[in-house]
Amino acid sequence: MVRPVTGATTGKTYRCPGCDQEIRVGTPHVVTWAAYARDSDLDPWDTESAAELRRHWHTACWRARSRRR
């Protein structure tokens, strides 16, 4: 799952897994998470556990992820 986030709704700094740089407060970016937890017996709609699996990416890093090694 991928959700765009406007800079106005962010209230904390995150680290982008694509470039390992900070996504500062107020920076638009995307939040991603697996639709189903992998290797787990979690209910696929267990949103509290799924929240732990979310990752915040710079939008450009997310778009370029297939070109990275």
Side-chain angles (χ1 to χ4, degrees):
M1 306 295 291
V2 179
R3 183 183 72 164
V5 178
T6 65
T9 60
T10 62
K12 100 186 220 195
T13 300
Y14 299 98
R15 179 138 330 252
C16 176
C19 66
D20 200 36
Q21 299 297 310
E22 287 185 347
I23 301 173
R24 295 181 187 244
V25 174
T27 304
H29 62 280
V30 295
V31 179
T32 65
W33 66 94
Y36 297 95
R38 294 183 186 166
D39 301 326
S40 173
D41 60 351
L42 293 175
D43 176 357
W45 305 112
D46 181 356
T47 56
E48 288 183 24
S49 295
E52 296 173 10
L53 302 174
R54 290 184 304 203
R55 297 295 175 259
H56 296 254
W57 292 70
H58 291 109
T59 303
C61 292
W62 176 253
R63 288 183 186 144
R65 71 192 180 284
S66 64
R67 296 188 300 260
R68 293 187 177 272
R69 287 183 167 198

